[in-house]
């Protein structure tokens, strides 16, 4: 339906069109008589989800199976150094126990809408926009949930042959179920700088970032308050013919203000994904190892909060099941990725997870993190997860994904009422 609407809109304005754009990547692109470029795009995603149980069975978590629908349509107009972009979205949910979650359902609304000016070295982008950076450990578009994460505000950019430096001043969008009723979340903000220096060859470089973050009414294990956190991080990434590496180191400080007195925030994380590739072998295997440590709170009464907050990470941080959040966590995950043929990849993974600090809680999604009730003070071993994820790009327009995970609850989860969890998902995505 989105394609029909796009073509209809194109037909309405056809008299002003001069010619189709040469080399357009997708959708429908046309050059206007005045030299402007108009690009129409549309996408549709259907996802079936199954959990048994939800949230590890804690606090009434039950077996649940439901479906999600995401439909997006966009138009981009470029004239010289100026660009305007508008993307509308409709999001639907069917069958979820207890009704749709906050990122499941929404009537027709503005997903993105901004104006951009880009000079030779400097640029400015103002409006509603998505902000994926790096490997999405800190800033992501949150593609797993139905409604992607967008922000309202402004970004400035300076770029050269090797450098890109962005300055940010944004608020996340608060998604609401009605039509054109999404608003900026006044209880959160994000500002700072994100810089990338590209290496001499593609896929190599370093990221540096300094971000200020605020969230009112933030909840951690046993404490609630207004969170003000500064995040300083760096990411080293490299891709060579036979190996690749992605290593990120982050430190945080700040305060959590509360009526009983402010807590000093002191937190950190080290995250890595390193792999060996054998492109000449059958199935082109990649042997990988993911290892992460995200700090937890050592003592609830020492005047400090040491729980790491990943700000706006991708929900599928460890697997598409999105069961654990990167906070108070140590995990190791060997992986094997195979490519039976072009466009078809499959990955097998085995994750072992522990608490970083026993006195702190086990944290789950949704973003940024949610403590499992009763998990503070339980045993350190959280459990182990086995996952299988396959992606098949069936055509230039269609992509299919199958995802399966089994989480075996360890003592830390069981002592708080958690139990083994099965997850399954099938995704069909169409892009025009």
């Amino acid at each position: 339906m989105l394609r029909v609407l796009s073509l209809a809109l194109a037909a309405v304005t056809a008299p002003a069109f001069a010619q189709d754009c040469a080399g357009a990547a997708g959708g429908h692109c046309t050059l206007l008589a005045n030299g402007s470029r108009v690009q129409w795009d549309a996408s549709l995603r259907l996802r079936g989800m199954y959990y048994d149980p939800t949230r590890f069975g804690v606090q009434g978590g039950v077996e649940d199976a439901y479906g999600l629908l995401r439909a997006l349509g966009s138009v981009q107009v470029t004239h010289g150094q100026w660009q305007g972009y508008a993307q509308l979205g409709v999001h639907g949910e069917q069958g979820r126990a207890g009704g749709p979650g906050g990122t499941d359902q929404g009537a027709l609304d503005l997903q993105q809408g901004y104006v951009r000016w880009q000079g030779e070295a400097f640029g400015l982008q103002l409006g509603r926009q998505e902000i994926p950076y790096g490997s999405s450990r800190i800033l992501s578009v949150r593609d797993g949930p139905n409604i992607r994460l967008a922000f309202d505000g402004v970004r400035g950019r300076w770029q050269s042959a090797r450098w890109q430096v962005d300055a940010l001043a944004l608020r996340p969008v608060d998604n609401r179920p009605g039509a054109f009723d999404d608003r900026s979340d006044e209880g959160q903000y994000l500002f700072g700088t994100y810089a990338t220096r590209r290496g001499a060859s593609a896929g190599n470089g370093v990221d540096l970032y300094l971000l200020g973050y605020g969230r009112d009414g933030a909840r951690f294990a046993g404490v609630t308050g207004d969170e003000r956190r500064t995040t300083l991080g760096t990411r080293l990434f490299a891709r060579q013919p036979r190996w690749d590496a992605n290593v990120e180191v982050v430190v945080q400080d700040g305060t959590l203000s509360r009526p009983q007195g402010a807590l000093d925030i002191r937190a950190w994380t080290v995250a890595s994904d390193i792999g060996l590739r054998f492109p000449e072998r059958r199935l082109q295997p990649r042997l990988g190892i993911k290892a992460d440590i995200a700090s937890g709170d050592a003592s609830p009464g020492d005047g400090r909060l040491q729980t790491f907050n990943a700000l706006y990470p991708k929900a599928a941080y460890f697997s598409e099941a999105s069961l654990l959040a990167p906070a108070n966590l140590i995990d190791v995950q060997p992986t094997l990725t195979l490519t039976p043929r072009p466009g078809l990849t499959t990955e097998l993974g085995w994750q072992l997870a522990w608490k970083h600090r026993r006195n702190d809680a086990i944290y789950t999604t949704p973003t940024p993190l949610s403590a499992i009730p009763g998990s503070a003070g339980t045993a350190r071993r959280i459990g182990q997860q086995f996952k299988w994820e396959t992606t098949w790009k069936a055509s230039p327009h269609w992509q299919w994904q199958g995802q399966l995970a089994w989480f075996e609850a360890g003592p830390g989860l069981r002592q708080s009422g958690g139990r083994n969890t099965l997850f399954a998902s099938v995704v069909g995505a169409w892009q025009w």
Side-chain angles (χ1 to χ4, degrees), residues 252-310:
Q252 297 178 326
D253 69 1
T255 59
L256 185 76
S257 300
R258 55 187 189 139
Q260 305 93 319
L263 299 178
D264 292 328
I265 294 175
R266 300 290 185 270
W268 55 273
T269 190
V270 178
S272 64
D273 184 1
I274 299 171
L276 294 175
R277 299 197 309 277
F278 303 90
E280 76 285 355
R281 300 285 186 180
R282 186 170 178 265
L283 304 181
Q284 302 177 41
R286 177 190 183 271
L287 297 175
I289 183 75
K290 298 179 180 179
D292 306 89
I293 304 177
S295 66
D297 197 37
S299 174
D302 63 358
R304 294 186 298 173
L305 176 64
Q306 297 166 296
T307 306
F308 180 74
N309 182 350

Side-chain angles (χ1 to χ4, degrees), residues 67-108:
L68 300 173
L69 178 147
R70 175 202 294 163
L72 300 172
S74 65
V75 59
Q76 177 180 290
V77 180
T78 304
H79 184 80
Q81 296 178 316
W82 290 90
Q83 181 183 102
Y85 182 80
Q87 182 181 59
L88 299 180
V90 175
H91 303 83
E93 175 275 335
Q94 182 65 43
R96 184 166 188 163
T103 61
D104 286 343
Q105 184 170 288
L108 184 65

Side-chain angles (χ1 to χ4, degrees), residues 190-266:
L190 175 73
F191 69 90
T193 302
Y194 199 108
T196 299
R197 187 184 189 278
R198 292 177 288 272
S201 58
N204 297 272
V206 58
D207 291 347
L208 300 166
Y209 53 88
L210 179 62
L211 303 171
Y213 169 83
R215 179 171 57 130
D216 295 341
R219 294 178 177 273
F220 297 89
V223 294
T224 301
D226 294 340
E227 181 181 6
R228 302 293 182 262
R229 192 178 292 244
T230 300
T231 297
L232 174 64
T234 184
R235 182 177 75 101
L236 304 174
F237 54 97
R239 184 175 180 86
Q240 299 299 320
R242 294 191 174 275
W243 63 272
D244 57 83
N246 189 333
V247 180
E248 197 155 357
V249 180
V250 184
V251 294
Q252 297 178 326
D253 69 1
T255 59
L256 185 76
S257 300
R258 55 187 189 139
Q260 305 93 319
L263 299 178
D264 292 328
I265 294 175
R266 300 290 185 270

Side-chain angles (χ1 to χ4, degrees), residues 3-343:
R3 183 173 185 179
V4 172
L5 288 174
S6 297
L7 291 173
L9 287 168
V12 169
T13 52
F17 291 170
Q19 56 182 311
D20 289 339
C21 304
H28 182 84
C29 182
T30 307
L31 292 177
L32 301 182
N34 64 357
S36 298
R37 175 188 174 109
V38 181
Q39 176 82 36
W40 304 88
D41 295 283
S43 65
L44 179 69
R45 189 189 76 161
L46 299 172
R47 185 174 194 184
M49 308 273 283
Y50 176 79
Y51 286 94
D52 184 20
T54 57
R55 290 183 60 79
F56 297 110
V58 179
Q59 279 195 326
V62 297
E63 180 183 12
D64 195 8
Y66 56 96
L68 300 173
L69 178 147
R70 175 202 294 163
L72 300 172
S74 65
V75 59
Q76 177 180 290
V77 180
T78 304
H79 184 80
Q81 296 178 316
W82 290 90
Q83 181 183 102
Y85 182 80
Q87 182 181 59
L88 299 180
V90 175
H91 303 83
E93 175 275 335
Q94 182 65 43
R96 184 166 188 163
T103 61
D104 286 343
Q105 184 170 288
L108 184 65
D109 220 317
L110 183 68
Q111 175 65 23
Q112 295 189 81
Y114 58 79
V115 175
R116 175 191 296 164
W117 174 83
Q118 183 64 56
E120 184 175 342
F122 295 95
L124 194 66
Q125 185 165 304
L126 176 65
R128 181 165 297 177
Q129 52 200 282
E130 296 174 348
I131 58 164
Y133 282 98
S135 53
S136 296
R137 290 190 179 112
I138 300 294
L139 300 176
S140 76
V141 297
R142 195 183 60 191
D143 191 58
N146 209 26
I147 303 178
R148 290 162 63 103
L149 178 62
F151 292 78
D152 291 334
V154 61
R155 280 194 290 173
R157 172 168 295 177
W158 173 82
Q159 58 188 5
S160 66
R162 300 284 290 272
W163 281 95
Q164 176 180 298
V165 181
D166 285 8
L168 322 171
L170 305 160
R171 291 188 185 274
V173 174
D174 178 19
N175 301 121
R176 304 178 185 184
F180 295 104
D181 62 348
D182 290 355
R183 299 289 185 271
S184 302
D185 187 341
E186 297 298 326
Q188 295 188 54
Y189 64 78
L190 175 73
F191 69 90
T193 302
Y194 199 108
T196 299
R197 187 184 189 278
R198 292 177 288 272
S201 58
N204 297 272
V206 58
D207 291 347
L208 300 166
Y209 53 88
L210 179 62
L211 303 171
Y213 169 83
R215 179 171 57 130
D216 295 341
R219 294 178 177 273
F220 297 89
V223 294
T224 301
D226 294 340
E227 181 181 6
R228 302 293 182 262
R229 192 178 292 244
T230 300
T231 297
L232 174 64
T234 184
R235 182 177 75 101
L236 304 174
F237 54 97
R239 184 175 180 86
Q240 299 299 320
R242 294 191 174 275
W243 63 272
D244 57 83
N246 189 333
V247 180
E248 197 155 357
V249 180
V250 184
V251 294
Q252 297 178 326
D253 69 1
T255 59
L256 185 76
S257 300
R258 55 187 189 139
Q260 305 93 319
L263 299 178
D264 292 328
I265 294 175
R266 300 290 185 270
W268 55 273
T269 190
V270 178
S272 64
D273 184 1
I274 299 171
L276 294 175
R277 299 197 309 277
F278 303 90
E280 76 285 355
R281 300 285 186 180
R282 186 170 178 265
L283 304 181
Q284 302 177 41
R286 177 190 183 271
L287 297 175
I289 183 75
K290 298 179 180 179
D292 306 89
I293 304 177
S295 66
D297 197 37
S299 174
D302 63 358
R304 294 186 298 173
L305 176 64
Q306 297 166 296
T307 306
F308 180 74
N309 182 350
L311 307 187
Y312 302 101
K314 56 184 177 184
Y317 200 92
F318 304 109
S319 77
E320 289 293 334
S322 304
L323 294 171
L324 293 175
N328 189 36
L329 186 73
I330 299 174
D331 90 291
V332 178
Q333 183 179 158
T335 62
L336 171 63
T337 304
L338 303 174
T339 306
R341 64 180 188 181

